[in-house]
Amino acid sequence: MYFLTGWPRRLLCPLRSEEEPFYIQPSSQRFYFALLSETQLSIWFSRPSVLIVSYIESAKAATQFGFYQKAEWKPDDSMIAVATAKGYILLFDVLGGGDEKYLYEPVYPKGSPHVKVTPGYKEEQCAPALSLEMKKPVDLESPITSLQSLQEDLLVCTEDGYLHVLHWDGLGSNGRKAICLTTIPFALDLQSARGGPSLDLEGVHILCMEYCVTLGGFAVVLNDGRLGFITPLSNTITADQLQGVWAADVSDGTCVAVNNKYRLMAFGCASGSVLVYMIDTTTGSMQLSHKLELTPKHYPDIYNKTGPVKLICWSPDYSVAMVTWECGGLSLWSVFGAHLICTLGEDFSHRADGTKKDPLKISSMSWGAEGYHLWVLPSRQERRRQEEQQDIEMVAPPRSSSQAGILQFQFIKSALTVNPCTSNQEQVLLHGEDRLYLTCGDPTQIHCNSDAHPHTRLHLCDGSPPRPPPNPDSSLSQGLSTLLGHKHWHVVQIHSTYLESNWPIRFAAIDTAGQCMAVAGRRGFAHYSLFTRKWKLFGNITQEQNMTVTGGLAWWNDFVVVACYNFIDQQEQLRLYQRSSNLDNSFASVTKLHSDTLLLNVFRDMVILFRADCSICLYSIERRSDSPNPSASVELLQEVSMSRYIPHPALVVSVTLTSVRTETGITLKAPQQACMAESIMLNLAGQLIMLQRDRSGPQVREKETPAVNKKLLPFCPPVVLAQCVENVWTTCRSNKKKRHLLEALWLSCGEAGMKVWLPLFPRDHRKPHSFLSRRIMLPFHINIYPLAVLFEDALVLGATNETVLYDGLQGSLEPLEALFPYCTVERTSQIYLHHILRQLLVRNLGEQALMLAQSCASLPYFPHVMELMVHVVLEEEATSREPIPDPLLPTVAKFITEFPLFLQTIVHCARKTEYALWNYLFAAVGNPKDLFEECLMAQDLDTAASYLIILQNMEVPAVSRQHATLLFNTALEQGKWDLCRHMIRFLKAIGSGEMETPPPTPTTQEPSSTGGFEFFRNRSISLSQSADSINTGKFNLQKTFSMPAGSSAKGRDGECAENMYIDMMLWRHARHLLEQVRLRDLGCFSAQLGFELISWLCRERNRVARVEDFVSALKKLHKDFLWPFPVIPVGSLSSPLKNGRCRPVLSTRLLKSQSADSLLNSDMDTTPPQAAPTNHSWMDGIRQGAKDVDTASSAHSNHTSPQTHDAFLSLLTNKVEEYSIGSATDLTETSSVVDGDWTMVDENSSTLSLSQAELEHISMELANKGPHKSQVQLRYLLHVFMEAGCLEWCVVIGLILRDISVIKQVISFLNNPEVPPETVQSVRNGLLAVDAWASTDCLGYKPFLNLIQPQLQQLMDSAAEQVQPEAFQPASQSSKLGGSEGMGGATVPRAEDGRGSSTPLGLALPSLEPAGGFPRTPSVDCPPEQTEEQGDEEGAYDCTLS
């Protein structure tokens, strides 16, 4: 509502004086402020805040009259009355203020365009030159306690118990009456007050008094602390015409302030609380409405130490009250008690180092014009204390110490306080004295669905320039995030030219899309567009100055609707100005009104006005298309007189047209009626009154009535819906999916929180129960002050004050304003759905709650709503001292089971709640073991893992281990590796009993047989050497097959049974995967969990790691790795691209990651049979940036001619820019450009000559290859199986890769006597089976099988024969090249440059993401460097070097 901003300003009085001001009194419009010190009366101007004139009493007169004490202005600002200590009233005439006399004149540079346009018009508001003249003093012969100005009279209360009525002008004997307090009859209500004078008022006088216009009486505080209200029965104030009522049981009153708009009286008490009373209209008695007091919950240190209330000040719009106490401090409350700001806590009361500050003590305060400033006079002790400090520290006091200081606190306020129109309720709009704050200005409320607001689609057909379309990404969901995403405001500075002559800003309005703002000051108005970032002002200054906005402004589509008073015609008008045309009366549509307008609002195409004669007028607006300029026509629809129900027109806070009806439940068949104006909502001094259309008369079908004389239905008598209402929100949009939220009425009720008047719908269009009401009012509390309601999103938006401490000015010279932190305003929001659901469940309306929740289930924070609901009910019921007769938690639990996120909600709530409440929670929702099993059945493993933590705390370890094992096995099966790692840690911790701290990462690992990969450990190998530089000598790596000693896990944690248990499960899973020929899953499993695959395979070599059926294994690998079955060319000259089978393979299998060299270095069937294929494209995939061709492994293909190698090299190094990845793959797909493209290459490298047939072979090979990532993975697995000696698997992988060297190597290994004969037999039978299968089902394998025919023959022949020992001797170069052939051609890519040489390759390969290996996240137990190799370099294999 109101928010502090920045630091307080400090105004210094230019006159040096020993006296300090202690009393401030504003004039009626708050443009002038009268300040009193002991003998001095000063008048200040509001903007600029300067001293105009000061009257200093002579010493002689001061002794005669006594010091000044209080002051009061005449309502027309022409006189000031000052009360003195010795009982005199001094009256001063305020003279001057004519048009031409100003204290300060603006001086413009020569040639500047500032010239006076209108006589009497001043461009800038300058302080007028005033003077003060004292008139004859009036002696009342008794000390004065209170002054109160009425229209022509001045009421003065004195200590002798009299009430004096003085006439402002005629101060002779005739202008004065004195009424004795004892003659006024007082009672508890007006009926019994007529009994005669009250006797217990002897010796009592009025301490403080204030007149309330709308109640027509005086609120008084007597000096004995009693509170009362005095009513004059007639217009004149005479003794026999006054009556008083008491407030029962109060005797510690100190001060009073009345609220004219809401008819409230706020009485300050000695206890520190403020009692707010209203007058009961039937009996006339004083009834307590609510209290304003600090709560021990929020202010535990100070709530009972504030001292008595010193002052209460209502803001000029009566929406907030500022309170200060004897001990100091300021506190701000909304009219019905919502607490907004208090300077007695948090950063206001503490410095940054934690030391406490003394609160600022205040002697007087007053709100400035429109409530943008609070003028505060610090009490004298404050200043004296400061000066004493300065003397102690012997600092020369600065000149300002003897100058009086006024603190000016700056506020920004919500536009709803004075202009509660509909669009202001959909957007949060705050305005300060010179700027607007709005929530980021994205078109969030423009809904794109079919039943959206119709006006959002009208912008193109009206001839006006169309609005720029909202950003395509600012859909509703996006809009929600812009409304909530951050705490920053969009700040728009109000145009200085408009502000200078029309300060203060009185009204502000924003359109529903949040893109256009309009503001109105003293005269005229101006509007701003976020699209153009420009203000529009009246081009003709006279037009601006000849109108003043009276009833507020609102937006209708792109028109500004203004209720204003025209000074020239001297009449009230309703005007519409188009946004896109110039701001000029010639473009406005003007409608004359008969009475002053107080409030204005817009609903769809209707304008509703509330007028000073207490009548309501409805107008329809239509866009006029006949005129050249876009304009609108306004037509009066209906007038409703409310004078019977409204005692005073100023009491109406807001008036709104709504589509809300009470009989919603029945009329489901007519949803379009929800869009019609069905009722009027009137906030009458906090009472919400509803007038519904009367449908009881004969209803005429709409078709039969001609459109011309369509008469609107009359309204029923008003009904009171709610009390203490500050704001009302309703929407004219409709959405069938969220009818509950969109057809509801939202109310803000101060300290009582919010209320929603919710429609109840019968389910499935059944006839509703007769006893079920159509609507229900549900109260709920929120932690923020609501400023806007997002209906569909079930959110309330608000704002809150935040503070920033600043310690630059510590020490004795700390000025008064530095006592305060810097204040900022931040946006806040809050979910309210859980409150409503809970209220419905409490009232046994579960069916309605379910319908409402289902309509909101798609909201992103719906799970959070459910959790909050469980959490709040659980906290309340489980911590309750008394037994709860009808607990709500079982109902809530049953309700949540209707939603799929039930299991998740319960466990999240449990984990955010303390352990002590778990038993209560699970007694209501069910056994956690059952819930865990439900999660497993629903395959929701993450939630099941959360339940494990609950089980571990509530059950014995055996139970949690049993459940953890279940979950671990399921997670392994589903490949949830993160979860698996957590489960391993969890299982270890259960065993070791240290669940609180995760087990330390093991540091030592038992050496495992990692094979030739140790070569790469400490050496970076260049993979980009040219073919010539490599000595192509023959080398082999001899591998001694040896079983590792014992389980690899034992070395880590000793003989720990837990580890053995986990290992058993891991081994079982690996066995399961291998049995099902799921090699890809096995690789992922090994890489993700750090499972030592090689050592396990060594153990299982002759058991599960055998291949039973080579053909089915081969088919399974093709499917797993997305590897295409090879196709055979139809003929040597016919292009494979014409082959129908090849084309889809190309298009689907060719991945973009295939690089240019993978095209050229592919296996070519045209090479002689002895040559080894150059399978190296996958290396460069790891180093995407490197363009060098890697021919390291082709070094042993010594049968290929060197010329060919050179040709390949030169092609890629010279032309790699032109043949990017895309063009290389395109070559194979578009045969028409092949020849032309390759002839360009011929010019560059003369040795290259490729025939059509060779090209077809290249494209053929490309078609026969699988994805690059699969190739890397297969190579990796090939290496692993080779290391572990699982030769059958090596043969299968060699077949799918069609790599001759692998087959040759395996067959040479088979001749080793250590290899069991059944393995040799199995390989032989397998190859024969594959050959037979290829001959019938897959002819593409035949060329490759023909190539390995010699090896196959050798295998047949030499079953019993020993192989030559030299075959196993490595060449002298083996250490340099890491034995690519000895390892079965499984060459290993170099690490990325950043990783350095120590990264273990091969087995750490999966962590190299770009290569497309197995995706890996670092294991919990093993650091990535030590995945499967040993930590220390111990020999796990033998390497014989010759």
Side-chain angles (χ1 to χ4, degrees):
M1 199 49 97
Y2 271 67
F3 306 96
L4 256 180
T5 173
W7 271 302
R9 257 187 235 143
R10 190 179 191 196
L11 309 177
L12 293 177
C13 180
L15 300 174
R16 293 174 62 96
S17 161
E18 292 308 307
E19 296 178 1
E20 283 144 7
F22 56 84
Y23 188 86
I24 183 169
Q25 183 68 27
S27 66
S28 60
Q29 290 296 309
R30 297 177 193 264
F31 287 149
Y32 306 107
F33 293 87
L35 268 77
L36 293 184
S37 54
E38 280 93 340
T39 62
Q40 195 170 321
L41 164 66
S42 311
I43 294 182
W44 285 67
F45 195 56
S46 56
R47 178 188 167 100
S49 302
V50 290
L51 176 67
I52 297 175
V53 61
S54 206
Y55 179 94
I56 301 175
E57 193 68 80
S58 65
K60 181 185 168 196
T63 48
Q64 181 195 343
F65 302 138
F67 287 155
Y68 294 170
Q69 285 183 330
K70 288 181 162 46
E72 182 67 77
W73 288 78
K74 192 178 174 187
D76 62 0
D77 299 352
S78 62
M79 290 175 84
I80 298 175
V82 175
T84 64
K86 294 191 176 173
Y88 285 86
I89 295 282
L90 311 179
L91 286 137
F92 293 87
D93 274 331
V94 183
L95 305 173
D99 281 344
E100 296 302 318
K101 287 188 71 182
Y102 296 103
L103 284 182
Y104 304 96
E105 284 290 350
V107 178
Y108 299 114
K110 281 180 183 166
S112 98
H114 287 268
V115 284
K116 291 224 161 184
V117 188
T118 322
Y121 162 70
K122 49 184 196 301
E123 284 220 337
E124 301 193 33
Q125 291 185 345
C126 306
L130 305 176
S131 60
L132 290 170
E133 270 186 22
M134 185 157 72
K135 296 171 78 172
K136 187 183 164 200
V138 181
D139 184 6
L140 298 179
E141 299 165 5
S142 175
I144 294 163
T145 58
S146 178
L147 285 178
Q148 175 70 43
S149 168
L150 269 81
Q151 290 307 317
E152 294 301 320
D153 295 318
L154 178 69
L155 267 74
V156 185
C157 304
T158 50
E159 277 189 13
D160 55 6
Y162 276 88
L163 182 65
H164 300 268
V165 184
L166 311 179
H167 203 275
W168 272 107
D169 298 331
L171 285 166
S173 56
N174 62 339
R176 189 176 150 187
K177 287 183 285 201
I179 299 162
C180 182
L181 196 59
T182 52
T183 61
I184 302 175
F186 268 90
L188 282 176
D189 55 42
L190 281 180
Q191 277 91 343
S192 49
R194 303 201 172 93
S198 168
L199 301 173
D200 56 352
L201 288 176
E202 284 297 330
V204 175
H205 64 266
I206 293 173
L207 190 66
C208 183
M209 172 177 79
E210 200 167 322
Y211 180 65
C212 180
V213 183
T214 49
L215 283 172
F218 304 93
V220 295
V221 177
L222 304 182
N223 68 330
D224 60 1
R226 282 183 290 180
L227 316 176
F229 179 70
I230 299 174
T231 319
L233 296 179
S234 65
N235 292 339
T236 54
I237 296 171
T238 50
D240 54 347
Q241 292 295 318
L242 295 177
Q243 284 187 348
V245 287
W246 293 125
D249 309 324
V250 185
S251 60
D252 64 343
T254 56
C255 59
V256 64
V258 299
N259 186 324
N260 283 312
K261 196 170 196 66
Y262 289 89
R263 301 176 94 185
L264 296 173
M265 300 169 284
F267 293 95
C269 299
S271 64
S273 59
V274 175
L275 306 177
V276 184
Y277 279 90
M278 48 187 261
I279 296 291
D280 186 331
T281 43
T282 49
T283 64
S285 60
M286 287 175 71
Q287 285 194 333
L288 183 66
S289 166
H290 56 278
K291 289 184 184 181
L292 312 178
E293 52 190 358
L294 298 179
T295 57
K297 181 181 171 187
H298 295 114
Y299 299 93
D301 306 336
I302 192 85
Y303 76 99
N304 52 2
K305 303 185 181 73
T306 55
V309 176
K310 183 160 191 183
L311 290 167
I312 305 168
C313 270
W314 289 102
S315 64
D317 55 26
Y318 295 112
S319 58
V320 292
M322 186 64 87
V323 176
T324 183
W325 295 273
E326 291 289 350
C327 85
L330 288 166
S331 189
L332 187 69
W333 272 278
S334 79
V335 60
F336 288 111
H339 197 199
L340 300 171
I341 303 165
C342 180
T343 65
L344 292 177
E346 295 165 349
D347 286 353
F348 288 102
S349 60
H350 293 84
R351 295 186 183 84
D353 56 5
T355 53
K356 236 176 145 28
K357 298 183 215 172
D358 288 327
L360 177 77
K361 292 189 175 150
I362 291 164
S363 60
S364 183
M365 63 181 178
S366 163
W367 287 95
E370 295 296 322
Y372 293 123
H373 295 127
L374 182 75
W375 295 56
V376 167
L377 299 181
S379 66
R380 290 168 229 189
Q381 299 97 311
E382 287 288 326
R383 295 207 191 84
R384 292 212 183 114
R385 194 176 66 207
Q386 233 180 335
E387 282 160 28
E388 281 161 19
Q389 256 184 326
Q390 287 167 356
D391 296 342
I392 292 166
E393 302 199 5
M394 290 182 294
V395 179
R399 287 193 54 196
S400 66
S401 67
S402 59
Q403 288 175 300
I406 305 166
L407 287 185
Q408 215 183 46
F409 289 88
Q410 299 165 65
F411 285 86
I412 59 177
K413 60 178 187 171
S414 162
L416 292 173
T417 53
V418 279
N419 193 27
C421 65
T422 312
S423 55
N424 281 356
Q425 296 168 342
E426 300 203 354
Q427 303 279 341
V428 178
L429 175 67
L430 308 178
H431 48 101
E433 66 166 340
D434 62 348
R435 66 196 64 192
L436 302 173
Y437 294 75
L438 53 140
T439 45
C440 279
D442 286 303
T444 53
Q445 300 287 8
I446 297 180
H447 293 245
C448 309
N449 46 4
S450 55
D451 43 14
H453 196 310
H455 302 146
T456 55
R457 296 197 288 270
L458 287 177
H459 297 307
L460 297 176
C461 52
D462 57 344
S464 68
R467 287 194 180 189
N471 299 334
D473 57 353
S474 63
S475 60
L476 179 61
S477 57
Q478 189 81 15
L480 187 57
S481 66
T482 52
L483 278 170
L484 306 176
H486 50 80
K487 296 193 168 183
H488 302 294
W489 296 91
H490 195 107
V491 181
V492 176
Q493 201 75 30
I494 296 171
H495 200 290
S496 56
T497 309
Y498 180 75
L499 207 57
E500 277 163 7
S501 46
N502 297 295
W503 184 91
I505 297 299
R506 292 164 51 231
F507 301 100
I510 188 169
D511 70 343
T512 39
Q515 297 297 299
C516 304
M517 280 69 65
V519 294
R522 268 200 309 197
R523 298 282 170 98
F525 74 98
H527 63 82
Y528 175 85
S529 163
L530 272 182
F531 297 129
T532 59
R533 305 274 162 133
K534 284 183 182 155
W535 280 95
K536 269 196 185 162
L537 276 60
F538 273 96
N540 183 341
I541 204 86
T542 324
Q543 291 185 3
E544 180 187 274
Q545 293 302 308
N546 282 334
M547 68 175 275
T548 181
V549 177
T550 52
L553 18 83
W555 285 90
W556 174 75
N557 297 351
D558 42 2
F559 286 86
V560 188
V561 185
V562 183
C564 61
Y565 181 77
N566 183 339
F567 288 103
I568 292 179
D569 303 344
Q570 296 199 343
Q571 72 174 123
E572 197 78 18
Q573 294 177 340
L574 177 67
R575 297 186 184 179
L576 275 81
Y577 292 86
Q578 218 272 345
R579 179 178 63 84
S580 51
S581 37
N582 289 342
L583 196 47
D584 193 288
N585 290 349
S586 59
F587 296 120
S589 89
V590 180
T591 309
K592 293 179 182 174
L593 304 175
H594 309 303
S595 173
D596 293 359
T597 310
L598 299 182
L599 288 164
L600 167 147
N601 211 335
V602 173
F603 174 87
R604 293 192 177 265
D605 296 331
M606 292 168 85
V607 174
I608 179 168
L609 301 180
F610 178 74
R611 306 190 305 193
D613 59 2
C614 294
S615 65
I616 292 171
C617 289
L618 301 181
Y619 290 86
S620 71
I621 325 176
E622 263 181 62
R623 200 179 276 277
R624 214 185 285 144
S625 47
D626 48 5
S627 61
N629 300 314
S631 63
S633 62
V634 177
E635 182 191 349
L636 178 65
L637 293 176
Q638 197 171 4
E639 284 194 44
V640 185
S641 172
M642 295 289 294
S643 48
R644 291 170 54 198
Y645 311 107
I646 297 175
H648 195 288
L651 294 173
V652 178
V653 181
S654 70
V655 58
T656 318
L657 262 177
T658 73
S659 52
V660 171
R661 300 166 57 186
T662 46
E663 69 270 16
T664 329
I666 303 169
T667 54
L668 275 169
K669 56 185 179 298
Q672 77 276 2
Q673 286 179 337
C675 311
M676 290 167 57
E678 286 293 338
S679 55
I680 295 173
M681 296 287 172
L682 240 136
N683 184 349
L684 176 66
Q687 273 197 336
L688 188 66
I689 294 175
M690 176 184 185
L691 289 92
Q692 260 194 123
R693 288 208 185 276
D694 187 359
R695 293 186 178 274
S696 56
Q699 301 290 302
V700 188
R701 269 227 213 79
E702 287 189 14
K703 288 174 192 165
E704 296 165 15
T705 56
V708 188
N709 57 1
K710 194 167 167 186
K711 194 168 180 298
L712 285 170
L713 291 168
F715 286 94
C716 303
V719 182
V720 177
L721 291 184
Q723 306 279 0
C724 301
V725 177
E726 291 181 8
N727 276 318
V728 185
W729 291 271
T730 166
T731 181
C732 54
R733 290 195 306 277
S734 60
N735 181 339
K736 289 194 185 72
K737 294 193 181 89
K738 295 189 177 176
R739 290 190 58 189
H740 277 97
L741 296 178
L742 280 168
E743 295 181 24
L745 188 73
W746 305 87
L747 315 174
S748 150
C749 302
E751 66 169 349
M754 285 186 78
K755 290 180 182 171
V756 56
W757 201 36
L758 201 69
L760 301 178
F761 299 111
R763 201 155 190 180
D764 313 325
H765 302 283
R766 290 195 298 250
K767 194 170 183 303
H769 297 297
S770 52
F771 59 84
L772 186 69
S773 69
R774 311 282 178 260
R775 281 180 176 267
I776 185 166
M777 189 72 81
L778 304 173
F780 60 93
H781 270 278
I782 58 170
N783 303 327
I784 63 175
Y785 189 86
L787 297 176
V789 176
L790 300 184
F791 303 96
E792 288 93 333
D793 303 314
L795 277 177
V796 173
L797 301 185
T800 177
N801 255 116
E802 297 291 336
T803 48
V804 183
L805 276 176
Y806 175 70
D807 273 3
L809 299 169
Q810 270 199 344
S812 62
L813 293 175
E814 185 174 26
L816 279 175
E817 63 270 29
L819 275 171
F820 292 90
Y822 185 83
C823 294
T824 59
V825 183
E826 291 197 345
R827 299 163 49 183
T828 51
S829 61
Q830 200 174 331
I831 303 170
Y832 56 73
L833 196 56
H834 57 288
H835 294 297
I836 297 179
L837 295 175
R838 182 185 166 185
Q839 294 283 357
L840 287 170
L841 291 175
V842 166
R843 290 163 173 74
N844 286 327
L845 293 169
E847 202 171 61
Q848 299 290 328
L850 195 60
M851 286 161 71
L852 174 57
Q854 281 164 347
S855 71
C856 297
S858 58
L859 291 174
Y861 34 81
F862 185 69
H864 183 56
V865 169
M866 291 302 189
E867 271 178 56
L868 275 174
M869 183 160 71
V870 178
H871 186 79
V872 171
V873 175
L874 172 66
E875 290 272 309
E876 273 181 28
E877 295 189 355
T879 55
S880 162
R881 302 251 171 97
E882 287 82 35
I884 297 167
D886 190 12
L888 186 63
L889 192 61
T891 317
V892 171
K894 191 178 171 199
F895 175 73
I896 297 181
T897 51
E898 297 286 333
F899 296 92
L901 42 89
F902 162 68
L903 296 162
Q904 187 184 328
T905 304
I906 297 300
V907 77
H908 287 184
C909 181
R911 290 190 62 184
K912 291 172 191 167
T913 317
E914 53 186 301
Y915 172 68
L917 311 183
W918 283 5
N919 283 327
Y920 188 84
L921 172 66
F922 287 108
V925 298
N927 191 324
K929 284 191 279 195
D930 303 340
L931 299 176
F932 172 85
E933 280 156 22
E934 275 183 53
C935 290
L936 278 189
M937 284 162 64
Q939 302 290 311
D940 185 358
L941 303 190
D942 293 330
T943 307
S946 296
Y947 275 106
L948 260 188
I949 294 167
I950 309 276
L951 285 171
Q952 197 234 344
N953 284 297
M954 296 181 76
E955 302 283 347
V956 291
V959 175
S960 46
R961 175 183 296 148
Q962 176 193 353
H963 287 80
T965 310
L966 267 173
L967 179 58
F968 185 38
N969 284 332
T970 317
L972 281 173
E973 194 53 48
Q974 294 192 6
K976 297 273 178 72
W977 306 121
D978 263 345
L979 183 57
C980 290
R981 281 193 288 275
H982 288 309
M983 294 313 303
I984 290 174
R985 210 182 72 219
F986 184 83
L987 283 163
K988 282 182 182 172
I990 290 180
S992 54
E994 43 186 57
M995 194 57 209
E996 307 314 312
T997 58
T1001 309
T1003 47
T1004 58
Q1005 290 189 339
E1006 189 208 89
S1008 60
S1009 83
T1010 47
F1013 274 68
E1014 221 37 56
F1015 273 112
F1016 299 135
R1017 173 63 67 83
N1018 294 316
R1019 184 169 303 149
S1020 85
I1021 296 177
S1022 165
L1023 295 177
S1024 56
Q1025 302 160 6
S1026 69
D1028 308 339
S1029 65
I1030 298 173
N1031 183 346
T1032 58
K1034 188 176 169 202
F1035 52 89
N1036 274 324
L1037 179 71
Q1038 181 176 4
K1039 177 83 182 63
T1040 61
F1041 293 113
S1042 57
M1043 293 289 285
S1047 144
S1048 61
K1050 277 187 186 166
R1052 289 184 198 166
D1053 271 306
E1055 299 295 315
C1056 175
E1058 273 318 315
N1059 284 5
M1060 194 63 200
Y1061 179 66
I1062 292 164
D1063 283 349
M1064 293 296 288
M1065 284 196 281
L1066 291 173
W1067 293 342
R1068 188 169 65 213
H1069 184 65
R1071 196 175 299 127
H1072 172 65
L1073 291 176
L1074 204 51
E1075 279 168 355
Q1076 295 193 335
V1077 198
R1078 285 163 56 188
L1079 287 201
R1080 190 172 196 149
D1081 292 350
L1082 183 67
C1084 279
F1085 162 70
S1086 156
Q1088 292 283 352
L1089 298 185
F1091 178 70
E1092 295 181 2
L1093 194 53
I1094 296 182
S1095 57
W1096 178 76
L1097 284 170
C1098 286
R1099 279 201 306 284
E1100 297 289 339
R1101 188 190 305 150
N1102 295 324
R1103 294 200 287 272
V1104 77
R1106 303 282 303 273
V1107 182
E1108 300 296 329
D1109 181 351
F1110 274 59
V1111 176
S1112 64
L1114 195 58
K1115 286 179 180 171
K1116 191 84 167 55
L1117 287 190
H1118 272 291
K1119 184 179 169 192
D1120 260 9
F1121 289 92
L1122 301 174
W1123 201 269
F1125 286 101
V1127 286
I1128 194 161
V1130 178
S1132 57
L1133 282 174
S1134 64
S1135 163
L1137 293 165
K1138 294 175 190 143
N1139 181 348
R1141 181 167 165 211
C1142 179
R1143 194 170 282 278
V1145 171
L1146 262 176
S1147 55
T1148 55
R1149 298 287 182 228
L1150 247 177
L1151 295 190
K1152 289 274 183 282
S1153 66
Q1154 203 122 18
S1155 54
D1157 47 328
S1158 72
L1159 166 71
L1160 297 168
N1161 280 1
S1162 50
D1163 323 340
M1164 293 172 62
D1165 284 7
T1166 50
T1167 48
Q1170 302 91 327
T1174 56
N1175 270 310
H1176 262 235
S1177 58
W1178 54 281
M1179 286 188 187
D1180 282 294
I1182 290 173
R1183 317 164 19 242
Q1184 287 290 340
K1187 301 288 184 192
D1188 310 328
V1189 182
D1190 158 42
T1191 52
S1193 82
S1194 65
H1196 50 264
S1197 58
N1198 40 10
H1199 298 280
T1200 318
S1201 66
Q1203 264 183 323
T1204 325
H1205 268 296
D1206 283 6
F1208 280 134
L1209 276 169
S1210 59
L1211 166 72
L1212 274 173
T1213 46
N1214 298 338
K1215 302 291 285 182
V1216 77
E1217 292 80 20
E1218 286 156 57
Y1219 293 98
S1220 61
I1221 295 170
S1223 61
T1225 50
D1226 290 345
L1227 278 178
T1228 63
E1229 294 189 16
T1230 55
S1231 50
S1232 59
V1233 296
V1234 164
D1235 298 324
D1237 275 353
W1238 283 91
T1239 50
M1240 284 174 15
V1241 184
D1242 283 341
E1243 295 162 20
N1244 259 353
S1245 42
S1246 54
T1247 49
L1248 180 68
S1249 57
L1250 280 172
S1251 67
Q1252 175 78 24
E1254 286 169 315
L1255 266 179
E1256 284 166 356
H1257 269 295
I1258 290 173
S1259 52
M1260 195 73 225
E1261 280 306 319
L1262 210 52
N1264 291 344
K1265 263 201 174 165
H1268 174 68
K1269 187 174 176 181
S1270 297
Q1271 191 172 4
V1272 176
Q1273 292 173 343
L1274 282 166
R1275 288 270 163 205
Y1276 171 62
L1277 287 168
L1278 175 63
H1279 160 72
V1280 168
F1281 282 122
M1282 194 65 92
E1283 284 290 312
C1286 301
L1287 299 178
E1288 297 157 68
W1289 277 114
C1290 295
V1291 171
V1292 176
I1293 297 174
L1295 280 172
I1296 196 170
L1297 290 171
R1298 286 175 298 137
D1299 189 337
I1300 288 189
S1301 59
V1302 176
I1303 307 290
K1304 280 168 77 175
Q1305 195 181 6
V1306 170
I1307 287 174
S1308 64
F1309 274 147
L1310 288 174
N1311 297 331
N1312 192 331
E1314 288 187 28
V1315 176
E1318 53 267 28
T1319 304
V1320 181
Q1321 192 66 34
S1322 170
V1323 170
R1324 192 172 58 205
N1325 296 345
L1327 283 170
L1328 288 172
V1330 169
D1331 192 44
W1333 166 73
S1335 307
T1336 55
D1337 290 355
C1338 185
L1339 291 171
Y1341 267 115
K1342 281 310 274 185
F1344 179 68
L1345 290 169
N1346 292 340
L1347 282 179
I1348 61 166
Q1349 198 60 45
Q1351 282 78 17
L1352 197 53
Q1353 197 57 47
Q1354 183 191 350
L1355 189 63
M1356 300 297 202
D1357 302 344
S1358 62
E1361 198 182 310
Q1362 281 291 67
V1363 84
Q1364 298 301 317
E1366 303 91 71
F1368 286 99
Q1369 292 304 319
S1372 60
Q1373 293 290 320
S1374 62
S1375 64
K1376 189 194 260 183
L1377 266 176
S1380 70
E1381 196 168 322
M1383 289 162 13
T1387 36
V1388 179
R1390 171 177 93 166
E1392 293 154 349
D1393 301 333
R1395 289 185 186 258
S1397 58
S1398 63
T1399 311
L1401 295 171
L1403 289 166
L1405 187 85
S1407 65
L1408 306 182
E1409 279 303 334
F1414 299 108
R1416 176 189 181 86
T1417 47
S1419 154
V1420 180
D1421 291 320
C1422 319
E1425 290 84 30
Q1426 302 181 341
T1427 328
E1428 284 166 358
E1429 299 83 34
Q1430 60 214 50
D1432 318 320
E1433 300 212 3
E1434 298 171 35
Y1437 49 85
D1438 301 334
C1439 205
T1440 335
L1441 298 182
S1442 59

